[in-house]
């Protein structure tokens, strides 16, 4: 048992190392980000072989394990057939692996507390001295992400020491994060923070209503695709408006990107267009950036891979509803999950490392709370 715990710590250390490499300063970020997906794969791989009895599950023809293998096989086929880059394969491979393990891996309280404490460190680092060289959207997303971990850490302290006076500190952190996000005019982070705040403050009992939760689930997943479609239609109709407090128009130029990518996808809907596609939109200069997490999976990797990702994602989201309706800490982690999903309407965000690992650890926090509740 001790050896397994050491391996869990090693996996966590890899994730924390890449958080430091990516978010301490922009020079390190530029050097580390090309290897972040590989680091996430190493971290997830350690947990997989340490926690999952995969040989036994293979023999038992475990449905989810085989679906993950099939999805990875399709992604590998796409890698060869449509000439995708290796980074694209690691993106979807990591996403499938973390979604597969998201309800199967349970770590210790010390590990969960350590991970969230790192978030507090980065929240203070990034809000006390804004790192403008990352760009407004990236900076906003880092602040949002670390704010979620900070609020979770304070929830842990509240729960452990019954110190409910920490609630004002959580509110203050959210206000502080909000002010900086508005100052940055980071629309994606602003929307993500709005979702997080609403789900954080609503009573836990509301999540016992399955119908309402299903709407939230559909909005945060399929809504990403419908949002892009609506964005294109609004552009075509000439409908636009200023976002409150942002001093920016709602239409940001993504409509041109999504319109072009939609046409390319319809010509290659089964396999996707691959990551080597060169965009014609002039300001992309031949590069490829989808700016929408789940839309990226659909367009780059094709309909079949997308449907398998949605299958795993829906199962994991349905699986956290009950514990989130019973425990405040689990509800906060769930709010973080939905916040990251909705913020990903505007950026790839939750599907790419190192953010994808934070998304994964939010599920692990819920697993930990489920385990402690079952043992009480």
């Amino acid at each position: 048992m001790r050896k397994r715990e050491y391996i869990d710590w090693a996996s966590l250390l890899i994730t924390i190392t890449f958080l430091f490499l990516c978010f301490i300063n922009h020079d390190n970020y530029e050097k580390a980000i090309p290897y972040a997906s590989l680091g996430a794969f190493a971290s997830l791989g350690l947990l997989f072989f340490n926690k999952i009895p995969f040989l036994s599950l293979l023999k038992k023809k475990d449905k989810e394990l085989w679906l993950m293998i099939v999805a990875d096989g399709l992604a590998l086929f796409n890698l060869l057939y449509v000439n995708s880059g290796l980074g694209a394969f690691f993106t979807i491979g990591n996403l499938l692996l973390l979604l597969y393990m998201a309800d199967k891996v349970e770590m210790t309280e010390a590990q969960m507390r350590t991970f969230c404490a790192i978030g507090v460190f980065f929240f203070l680092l990034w809000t006390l001295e804004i790192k403008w060289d990352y760009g407004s959207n990236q900076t906003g997303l880092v602040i949002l992400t670390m704010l979620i971990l900070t609020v979770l850490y304070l929830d842990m302290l509240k729960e452990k020491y019954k110190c409910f006076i920490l609630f004002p500190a959580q509110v203050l952190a959210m206000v502080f994060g909000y002010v900086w996000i508005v100052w940055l005019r980071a629309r994606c982070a602003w929307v993500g923070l709005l979702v997080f705040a609403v789900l954080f403050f609503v009573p836990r009992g509301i999540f016992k209503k399955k119908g309402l939760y299903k709407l939230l689930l559909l909005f945060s997943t399929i809504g990403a695709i419908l949002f892009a479609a609506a964005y294109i239609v609004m552009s075509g109709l000439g409908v636009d408006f200023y976002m409150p407090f942002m001093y920016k128009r709602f239409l940001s130029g993504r409509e041109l990107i999504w319109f072009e990518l939609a046409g390319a996808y319809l010509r290659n809907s089964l396999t996707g267009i691959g990551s080597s596609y060169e965009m014609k939109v002039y300001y992309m200069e031949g590069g490829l950036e989808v700016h929408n997490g789940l839309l990226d999976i659909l367009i780059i990797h094709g309909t079949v891979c997308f449907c398998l990702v949605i299958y795993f994602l829906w199962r994991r989201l349905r699986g956290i509803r009950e514990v989130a309706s019973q425990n405040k800490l689990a509800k906060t982690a769930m709010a973080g999950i939905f916040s990251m999903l909705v913020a990903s309407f505007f950026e790839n965000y939750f599907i790419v490392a190192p953010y994808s690992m934070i998304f994964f650890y939010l599920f692990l926090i819920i697993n930990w709370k489920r385990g402690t509740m079952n043992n009480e």
Side-chain angles (χ1 to χ4, degrees):
M1 291 297 293
R2 203 70 176 162
K3 180 181 177 182
R4 289 186 179 277
E5 187 175 338
Y6 289 148
I7 294 173
D8 289 347
W9 276 109
S11 172
L12 177 58
L13 182 60
I14 292 172
T15 297
I16 290 174
T17 298
F18 271 91
L19 290 179
F20 272 90
L21 289 173
C22 289
F23 297 141
I24 281 291
N25 61 62
H26 192 260
D27 288 340
N28 281 344
Y29 172 83
E30 291 290 344
K31 296 172 184 175
I33 198 65
Y35 305 100
S37 292
L38 191 59
F41 183 74
S43 179
L44 291 167
L46 279 177
L47 285 178
F48 181 80
F49 289 112
N50 194 40
K51 297 284 192 180
I52 308 297
F54 67 98
L55 289 177
S56 173
L57 292 172
L58 281 174
K59 291 176 183 177
K60 292 178 181 177
K61 298 180 180 179
D62 178 73
K63 178 182 176 182
E64 286 200 346
L65 181 58
W66 278 103
L67 280 175
M68 184 185 71
I69 292 171
V70 168
D72 284 332
L74 284 170
L76 184 59
F77 171 79
N78 288 356
L79 179 75
L80 302 172
Y81 183 73
V82 294
N83 195 30
S84 273
L86 193 58
F89 174 75
F90 276 117
T91 295
I92 191 167
N94 288 342
L95 183 61
L96 287 163
L97 188 55
L98 71 86
L99 288 174
Y100 172 76
M101 294 194 295
D103 68 339
K104 300 172 179 63
V105 172
E106 185 177 331
M107 299 181 80
T108 66
E109 179 180 354
Q111 290 161 346
M112 296 294 91
R113 194 185 299 276
T114 299
F115 184 74
C116 289
I118 297 299
V120 177
F121 168 78
F122 278 112
F123 180 69
L124 293 173
L125 180 69
W126 279 67
T127 53
L128 295 177
E129 183 183 358
I130 293 295
K131 299 184 180 297
W132 299 100
D133 46 355
Y134 281 79
S136 60
N137 281 341
Q138 174 87 315
T139 303
L141 287 176
V142 173
I143 291 174
L144 170 65
T145 308
M146 301 311 167
L147 170 63
I148 291 169
L149 295 183
T150 298
V151 174
L152 273 167
Y153 185 73
L154 293 173
D155 257 346
M156 289 177 181
L157 295 181
K158 278 166 54 183
E159 188 173 271
K160 187 175 181 66
Y161 300 108
K162 310 300 180 186
C163 186
F164 298 102
I165 198 172
L166 289 171
F167 176 73
Q170 292 176 304
V171 176
L172 183 62
M174 280 192 261
V175 171
F176 200 34
Y178 177 85
V179 169
W180 275 121
I181 286 169
V182 169
W183 180 263
L184 290 161
R185 299 193 297 170
R187 287 166 290 194
C188 50
W190 183 80
V191 172
L193 179 53
L194 181 64
V195 171
F196 179 69
V198 169
L199 296 180
F200 176 81
F201 287 112
V202 297
R204 293 194 305 271
I206 199 169
F207 297 109
K208 293 179 180 178
K209 299 178 180 181
K210 293 183 180 179
L212 190 62
Y213 189 79
K214 285 179 181 177
L215 287 176
L216 178 62
L217 187 154
L218 288 170
F219 168 73
S220 61
T221 55
I222 300 303
I225 310 303
L226 297 179
F227 174 78
Y231 214 78
I232 294 170
V233 171
M234 286 176 62
S235 174
L237 295 175
V239 178
D240 198 3
F241 56 88
Y242 277 97
M243 292 185 68
F245 314 115
M246 292 287 108
Y247 306 104
K248 280 184 177 181
R249 290 191 176 277
F250 182 70
L251 297 180
S252 61
R254 285 171 174 78
E255 65 275 9
L256 300 177
I257 296 171
W258 291 341
F259 182 76
E260 178 185 334
L261 291 176
Y265 162 75
L266 290 174
R267 294 190 293 272
N268 302 273
S269 59
L270 195 60
T271 62
I273 66 173
S275 62
S276 297
Y277 178 85
E278 295 183 359
M279 295 206 63
K280 310 301 185 295
V281 175
Y282 69 94
Y283 52 80
M284 294 300 291
E285 298 178 346
L288 176 61
E289 177 62 52
V290 180
H291 293 288
N292 181 316
L294 287 173
L295 187 66
D296 181 282
I297 300 299
L298 176 63
I299 287 176
I300 302 301
H301 301 281
T303 306
V304 179
C305 285
F306 172 78
C307 288
L308 289 170
V309 167
I310 289 293
Y311 167 81
F312 279 108
L313 188 54
W314 280 357
R315 285 182 66 88
R316 298 301 165 259
L317 293 175
R318 286 200 299 265
I320 63 176
R321 181 189 63 82
E322 186 173 348
V323 65
S325 69
Q326 298 172 0
N327 179 268
K328 179 66 177 72
L329 178 57
K331 183 173 82 79
T332 302
M334 182 206 70
I337 289 168
F338 281 110
S339 171
M340 292 187 75
L341 285 170
V342 175
S344 295
F345 286 15
F346 300 86
E347 296 290 347
N348 287 359
Y349 193 28
F350 90 96
I351 71 167
V352 294
Y355 298 112
S356 58
M357 292 304 296
I358 297 170
F359 185 71
F360 176 55
Y361 270 88
L362 294 177
F363 281 98
L364 298 195
I365 290 168
I366 295 173
N367 291 348
W368 162 60
K369 286 314 302 177
R370 183 188 289 116
T372 58
M373 290 168 62
N374 291 338
N375 293 331
E376 290 176 353

